[in-house]
Amino acid sequence: MPGLQLFGRRWAIASDDLVFPGAFELLVRVIWWIGVLVLYSVHKGHFDCLGGALLQSYFIVLLVMLGAVICCMSSIVYISMQGTISNPGPRKCMPKLVYIRLALYIPEFAWAIMGAIWVSDNGVQCDKTVVHVILLTVIASWLIMLFTTIAIVIVFDPLGRKKALYYVRDEDHNLESSQSDQLLYNFKKTATRVWETRIRLLCCCIGNDNDNRVAFSSIAQLLTSYFADTDLVPSDIAAGLTLLHQEQDKVELSRDPDEVLSQSPSHPVRDDLEVELGKAAHYMQFAAAAYGWPLYVYSNPVTGLCKLCGECCQSRRAQHDIVGGDNLNCHFGSILQTTGLQYRDFIHISFHNRIYEIPFFVALDHKTEAILVAIRGTLSLEDVLTDLSADCENLHTDGVDGDCFSHKGICQAASYIYRRLINDGILNQAFTVAPEYKLVIVGHSLGAGAASVLAVQLRSSFPTLKCYAFSPPGGLFSKALADYSKNFIISIIVGKDLVPRLSLPNMEDLKNRILRMVVNCNRPKYQILLHGCWYEIFGGNPDDFPTELDGRNMASLTQPLLAEQTLLVQKSSSYNTLTDGSSPESPRYPHLYLPGKIIHITEDSRSGWLCFSDVKYNARWSKETAFSSIYISPRMITDHMPDIVLSALRSLCQERSGCGPCQTPPHVLRTNQV
């Protein structure tokens, strides 16, 4: 922070990022230099063979060249270790050292070619050991140059020249506000185009129709808006995350237990929680089944494929209303194995998958006398694009006072399923078969969000419907819709799951906190990353270094970082929030909330190790404010996995009395403890 400036452009690497790659190359070069020196000393008097004079010259020049590289890399590593993330002053000579190091590749490249020619010369009759060493030297030279080229490609920033031009113009000229705004506009326009190109390349296999192009453009604008006002390189973000994780752990360790209890709303009937947990444990099987064979095989690595073989060879397309790509019936077979239902219990199954169009199935659950609509979560690039279409879209709902809007991508996915269920007569067909059954909608992750929106859309037509949203996305409903949905939606969240805490305001808050951490920490980045890796792998006590804003370093925040007029930081809402300690007057993104009433499942204790661990869980009603910020943890991803959610619910169901609905049928999904 800021990015290293070379050849008139900014790169996605900082001057303090060269400690670890430089140290690795330095180690390789020192070993290489010692090996060549020993070999030269041993054969010093034996260069009288054919081609020996050239060989002796090759060794001498190679030793000198390796010595120059070692001196240069030692200087780069030493300088890179100086200063802090926000104070690159002690590293101001780094660009010159990098230029010198890159210049040394020219003679190294020439010497590698010469070595290759010498080795390939059949007329050379020197010691085979020497020939083999020269061959290894040539190979090592080419490998190092190859990895250097790959590294340059990785840290190349397509916006680097624009950034450098933007900063230089602002430093050299006292620009008027209108000129500065025009520069910023041009920069963001270029950034949007770059992001859109990246998304198109990443998703080149899913087509380029009008819906896809609109989604690409919308996501590119969102990513530009989020990243445009900071000058952080990826390693800065990694350092900020590890600092934030330790900071959050320190706060959690010092928290009063009474404060934790205060996050739970008072609930008059304890049995209500027990009943809902039992139903959730039962319905989660259907939410997990919607993922099809990938989750089934992942959860049953030994027997999963064998059990699916018999199902995959049968053709049931004529017997059931199946839409989409499941030619081998593997998805349908896994659904049968997971849910324990019979063929005749399925009304409609759709594996069709595009942007804003996600798979789902409708089935009869005779155990709870329910018509189940189960919606699949994120499992494809199309689903990821649906997730990332995070703008707001109006969701008009009768009887709700206040603004009614929702996550755009999820809202459109729910509208697609709504049209299928109503316009295609799927629900009418289901209620014709079982008119006395109630309607239940379930889903996990993206499917939970779509299920919640679908429940709001169907609520007026089916007043008794219920929705169980497992690990739903956090930025889903406006406040009015979130309060309205508490009458018929239950959200279940496990542990430190990232997705229920994931919303645009929370991401903006995370960015501000990362900026605060890296600006206020007085340790070099390599120390932060080393201690962070140790802490994440082996645990221990959080490091004790200043990361919070206080009066002593407030003045430093109001000054440019190393006198660099970085408009993308200083004139952004993120930087202003850091300096005044308050939230922006007009938030960049509207606040969206979790749907329905929330059951939060947390770990009480854990014994054992990895898949042999025994975890005890606790569940309580929770408020949406408990998920108003992102919690950094190694379990933030694993707690979101559907098999972990199902395992937690089953564990709670076994421990508590009165959980009749959670009796599971045979051949259901096994779960792996993580």
Side-chain angles (χ1 to χ4, degrees), residues 455-484:
V456 170
Q457 293 173 327
L458 292 173
R459 172 71 168 172
S460 58
S461 302
F462 302 91
T464 61
L465 73 77
K466 291 282 289 185
C467 173
Y468 289 86
F470 302 95
S471 307
L476 188 61
F477 283 154
S478 61
K479 180 62 175 173
L481 277 178
D483 292 339
Y484 169 72

Side-chain angles (χ1 to χ4, degrees), residues 247 251 516-517 520 545-550 553:
E247 180 83 3
V251 172
R516 183 198 69 196
M517 292 291 171
N520 287 275
F545 38 68
T547 53
E548 295 288 350
L549 294 176
D550 54 35
N553 50 30

